[in-house]
Amino acid sequence: MFESLQDKLNKAIRTLKGKDRISDINVAATTKEVRRALVDADVNFKVAKEITDKIREKALDQKILIAVEPGQMFVKIVHEELTALMGGQAEAINIKGDPAVILIAGLQGSGKTTFSGKLAHMLKRQGRQVLLAACDIYRPAAIDQLKVLGEQIGVEVYSEPDSKNAVSIAQNAVAHAKKSGKKIVIVDTAGRLAVDEVMMQEVENIKSSIKPSEILFVVDSMTGQDAVNTAKTFNERLNFDGVVLTKLDGDARGGAALSIRQIVDKPIKYISTGEKMEALDSFYPDRMASRILGMGDVLSLVERA
Amino acid sequence: EKSKESIFGKISRAIVGKSTVDEDVLDELEDILISSDVGVGTTVKIIKRIEERVARDKYTGTSELDSILRDEIATLLTENKSLDFKDSFETDNLPKPYVIMVVGVNGAGKTTTIGKLAHQFTKRGKKVVLGAGDTFRAAAVDQLKTWGQRAGVLVIDHGMNTDPAAVAHDAVKKGVEMNADVVIIDTAGRLHTKVNLMNELSKIKRVMQKFLPEAPHEVLLVLDGSTGQNAVIQAREFTKATDVTALAITKLDGTAKGGVVIGISDEFKIPVKYIGVGEKMDDLQVFDRAQFVDSLFKK
Ligand SMILES: Nc1nc2c(ncn2[C@@H]2O[C@H](COP(=O)(O)OP(=O)(O)OP(=O)(O)O)[C@@H](O)[C@H]2O)c(=O)[nH]1
Ligand SMILES: Nc1nc2c(ncn2[C@@H]2O[C@H](COP(=O)(O)OP(=O)(O)OP(=O)(O)O)[C@@H](O)[C@H]2O)c(=O)[nH]1
Ligand SMILES: [Mg+2]
Ligand SMILES: [Mg+2]
């Protein structure tokens, strides 16, 4: 049903190829193809409009008019622009305080609990003393799930199976960490919708009661147009520090990454690439740009240009 | 200038010549559909159909356009004619036990949907057996067991890290022995790109068929309603592996519209049966086409 983005870009290149100058009109036609492609890659449609308008100006601005291969040059500009929009260097998380507190939040099923385990695993391997706090008091077996992961990676999990108060569990976990000499507490929270006022209030309360030095918003890379609404609300409520993109071991283009970056201007700090505790990676904007654009061959083509 | 940039500018202009639909209406329509995850391809298709319809049976204003539009989108959504699930969760005309295998990518809402389904069936006095076929994800069996308790139904489990096909087999067997009305098999979440895991689904099916050749009567693919265009590929790949017969769309209690199912339903001719609208036991509804289309146009 969908042309691959690769095809679209190639088509866009073909439109330009052989023409020694790029006119306003064929740049418009090409940016239109790119915009369609971005929307098909789940980039928010408003964000896609903004980006392609910018790219169009750049394309007309640069010496592309006299380039030998204007098509390649155009693709290169698009790729560079997306890379720049997603931020330069990979950014580290803030680990401050005694203990340092890292709060994990996001929609249902996005991968928070799995990521909490992975982050604990990574920090432990760096020689740090970590505690996991099980603050999802709603989802059936959520505490058990975190406990199983904790056991797998050899990290203690603080939980209060009978408590109905996520805020006090979080506070008690921090106190427990202090007492037992743990330097970092990773707080797993229940999944919640941005429109669920009671639940958003809860996570705000958790934040103000334990003062995390890092708040991470976890997003499923398969998310569509709604990613911007969710990211916006979570950011308004929590002013989070970074984004975690999950399930990138699949074939989703992950356009949500670009939308979120544009809307809330927060860096993507980690990517999750599997169900195993080791499947955690740093984020590379250029790779993400290639992925959104569906560029395998096109990229190498660009590098030769 | 604006229309030249618009993806559907050309189509818009075509309609403008013929009638009173103006470009603004179509631009707005395009935005509504795209922002609901309908996707560029399906959006183009819908606009084309409207263009044709408008050219054929003239209309006078945007309110009429509105009903034409709803109509055209609704026809893309395959109706569930196969079985008697349409208006309720009744199982009276179904084979007994009616075996449902639930599949989907990680975190889509499979286990929760199973818990809710079990509740709907038991509420109607039906006997239900669940099979804890996710033996992989941490505490997945416990999660299903909790749902089993809530709904008051039997859960067959072999514990974690056991063969999911054997669990499915035993759940079906138990269902027959108990003269159950419905047997529902949970499976581990899997991304459709993982060949081994997709093959495992075929194996689960094969093994339960050894006991009951018609099983599963239904393969329910659960899609997260906030998923974008990747859902189309999910539908394609899960259908290849397991002959998906119905869809459930979850998490529609949020702001996501789930528009991607319009194209999926049309392309693969798979009906949407259920929608998930929350995390509670009662938060499952039988899919209603008209209501769904209406929700696309709600802010
Ligand atoms: N393939 C893949 N699966 C993942 C990844 N991250 C998480 N998962 C799976 O996605 C599903 C949901 O993950 P969870 O960690 O339970 O998500 P959550 O956000 O804690 O979910 P709730 O607590 O219910 O809101 C599980 O099946 C995980 O194994 C990933 O990067 N890749
Ligand atoms: N708001 C809302 N949340 C839902 C809905 N359906 C499921 N969830 C939540 O989504 C999360 C994931 O649901 P699960 O049922 O565990 O999903 P799954 O597909 O079984 O996940 P895996 O087995 O890990 O692949 C849980 O937190 C559920 O409570 C729904 O309709 N609305
Ligand atoms: Mg969780
Ligand atoms: Mg499950």
Side-chain angles (χ1 to χ4, degrees), chain A residues 210-228:
Chain A
I210 55 172
K211 310 237 170 345
S213 64
E214 178 79 23
I215 302 176
L216 291 170
F217 175 59
V218 179
V219 194
D220 187 325
S221 60
M222 298 181 272
T223 313
Q225 296 289 317
D226 194 52
V228 294

Side-chain angles (χ1 to χ4, degrees), chain A residues 1-2 8 24-25 28 32 35-37 39-45 49 53 56 107-110 114 138-142 144-146 148-149 152 191-196 199 220 222-227 229-230 247-253 273-276, chain B residues 1 4-8 10 30-32 34-42 44 105-108 136-140 142-144 146-147 150 189-194 197 224 226-230 232-234 236-237 251 253-257 263-264 267 279:
Chain A
M1 184 161 98
F2 297 108
K8 282 177 185 154
D24 201 354
I25 289 169
K32 197 176 79 181
R35 181 179 304 165
R36 276 185 75 146
V39 170
D40 272 343
D42 292 327
V43 175
N44 178 268
F45 75 108
K49 268 181 196 166
D53 284 349
R56 185 160 158 267
L107 293 184
Q108 285 92 346
S110 54
T114 308
Y138 308 97
R139 171 178 168 165
D144 297 325
Q145 185 188 358
L146 195 64
V148 170
L149 298 180
Q152 272 175 31
R192 65 200 74 223
L193 294 170
V195 289
D196 188 335
M199 290 298 284
D220 187 325
M222 298 181 272
T223 313
Q225 296 289 317
D226 194 52
N229 299 327
T230 312
K247 308 180 196 173
L248 275 168
D249 45 325
D251 58 0
R253 295 251 192 249
T273 55
E275 298 191 73
K276 301 236 167 68
Chain B
E1 175 65 29
K4 205 163 66 183
E5 283 171 34
S6 161
I7 296 173
F8 308 114
K10 227 178 85 207
E30 173 196 324
D31 284 357
I32 288 169
I34 294 285
S35 67
S36 307
D37 289 314
V38 170
V40 177
T42 307
V44 169
V105 298
N106 306 82
F136 178 73
R137 211 219 53 227
D142 290 337
Q143 186 188 1
L144 189 73
T146 306
W147 274 109
R150 283 185 187 175
R190 66 201 72 222
L191 296 179
H192 50 277
T193 48
K194 313 225 157 138
L197 295 179
D224 183 327
S226 59
T227 306
Q229 298 310 304
N230 193 251
V232 179
I233 309 174
Q234 290 170 27
R236 179 179 307 135
E237 295 303 318
K251 308 181 195 176
D253 43 328
T255 41
K257 296 288 171 58
I264 291 174
E267 185 182 350
E279 300 184 80

Side-chain angles (χ1 to χ4, degrees), chain A residues 213-277:
Chain A
S213 64
E214 178 79 23
I215 302 176
L216 291 170
F217 175 59
V218 179
V219 194
D220 187 325
S221 60
M222 298 181 272
T223 313
Q225 296 289 317
D226 194 52
V228 294
N229 299 327
T230 312
K232 218 168 131 187
T233 310
F234 271 82
N235 193 48
E236 279 160 12
R237 302 299 288 260
L238 292 176
N239 188 22
F240 56 74
D241 302 285
V243 177
V244 178
L245 260 189
T246 64
K247 308 180 196 173
L248 275 168
D249 45 325
D251 58 0
R253 295 251 192 249
L258 186 57
S259 309
I260 292 172
R261 180 74 217 217
Q262 278 296 97
I263 296 291
V264 300
D265 197 28
K266 294 287 168 67
I268 296 162
K269 295 196 171 175
Y270 293 106
I271 61 168
S272 249
T273 55
E275 298 191 73
K276 301 236 167 68
M277 287 295 100

Side-chain angles (χ1 to χ4, degrees), chain A residues 107-110 112 136 139-140 145 190-193 196 247 275, chain B residues 103-114 116 134 137 140 143 147 186-190 222 224 249-254 275-280 283-284:
Chain A
L107 293 184
Q108 285 92 346
S110 54
K112 295 174 297 299
D136 180 353
R139 171 178 168 165
Q145 185 188 358
R192 65 200 74 223
L193 294 170
D196 188 335
K247 308 180 196 173
E275 298 191 73
Chain B
V103 301
V105 298
N106 306 82
K110 295 174 291 299
T111 308
T112 308
T113 302
I114 291 169
K116 294 171 182 175
D134 181 355
R137 211 219 53 227
Q143 186 188 1
W147 274 109
D186 194 10
T187 62
R190 66 201 72 222
V222 178
D224 183 327
I249 319 301
T250 63
K251 308 181 195 176
L252 288 182
D253 43 328
I275 60 168
V277 292
E279 300 184 80
K280 304 237 167 60
D283 294 332
L284 186 73

Side-chain angles (χ1 to χ4, degrees), chain A residues 34-265:
Chain A
V34 172
R35 181 179 304 165
R36 276 185 75 146
L38 291 177
V39 170
D40 272 343
D42 292 327
V43 175
N44 178 268
F45 75 108
K46 282 185 193 147
V47 172
K49 268 181 196 166
E50 282 166 30
I51 291 174
T52 46
D53 284 349
K54 204 164 160 187
I55 287 171
R56 185 160 158 267
E57 267 165 43
K58 268 226 166 118
L60 287 170
D61 234 31
Q62 293 193 10
K63 296 273 181 278
I64 200 166
L65 294 167
I66 51 165
V68 184
E69 294 276 8
Q72 283 188 19
M73 185 111 167
F74 192 86
V75 174
K76 193 178 159 151
I77 292 170
V78 175
H79 186 264
E80 278 173 2
E81 194 59 31
L82 295 195
T83 305
L85 288 173
M86 275 181 296
Q89 297 294 307
E91 280 185 53
I93 50 170
N94 300 298
I95 300 176
K96 268 188 232 117
D98 184 25
V101 176
I102 303 171
L103 179 63
I104 312 298
L107 293 184
Q108 285 92 346
S110 54
K112 295 174 297 299
T113 304
T114 308
F115 169 75
S116 299
K118 290 177 183 182
L119 184 63
H121 183 53
M122 191 194 81
L123 293 170
K124 188 194 171 200
R125 289 211 297 201
Q126 292 171 0
R128 298 175 200 258
Q129 298 285 317
V130 191
L131 179 72
L132 280 162
C135 293
D136 180 353
I137 53 174
Y138 308 97
R139 171 178 168 165
I143 298 173
D144 297 325
Q145 185 188 358
L146 195 64
K147 277 187 171 164
V148 170
L149 298 180
E151 230 161 82
Q152 272 175 31
I153 58 175
V155 167
E156 187 189 347
V157 175
Y158 182 87
S159 69
E160 296 178 18
D162 299 322
S163 170
K164 286 276 152 272
N165 186 341
V167 177
S168 81
I169 300 173
Q171 286 172 320
N172 296 342
V174 171
H176 178 77
K178 217 171 224 164
K179 224 170 42 202
S180 58
K182 300 282 195 321
K183 299 297 176 208
I184 301 175
V185 184
I186 299 170
V187 180
D188 180 30
T189 62
R192 65 200 74 223
L193 294 170
V195 289
D196 188 335
E197 181 49 38
V198 174
M199 290 298 284
M200 290 308 284
Q201 189 61 52
E202 179 198 71
V203 73
E204 249 185 338
N205 293 347
I206 293 177
K207 176 189 171 177
S208 55
S209 72
I210 55 172
K211 310 237 170 345
S213 64
E214 178 79 23
I215 302 176
L216 291 170
F217 175 59
V218 179
V219 194
D220 187 325
S221 60
M222 298 181 272
T223 313
Q225 296 289 317
D226 194 52
V228 294
N229 299 327
T230 312
K232 218 168 131 187
T233 310
F234 271 82
N235 193 48
E236 279 160 12
R237 302 299 288 260
L238 292 176
N239 188 22
F240 56 74
D241 302 285
V243 177
V244 178
L245 260 189
T246 64
K247 308 180 196 173
L248 275 168
D249 45 325
D251 58 0
R253 295 251 192 249
L258 186 57
S259 309
I260 292 172
R261 180 74 217 217
Q262 278 296 97
I263 296 291
V264 300
D265 197 28

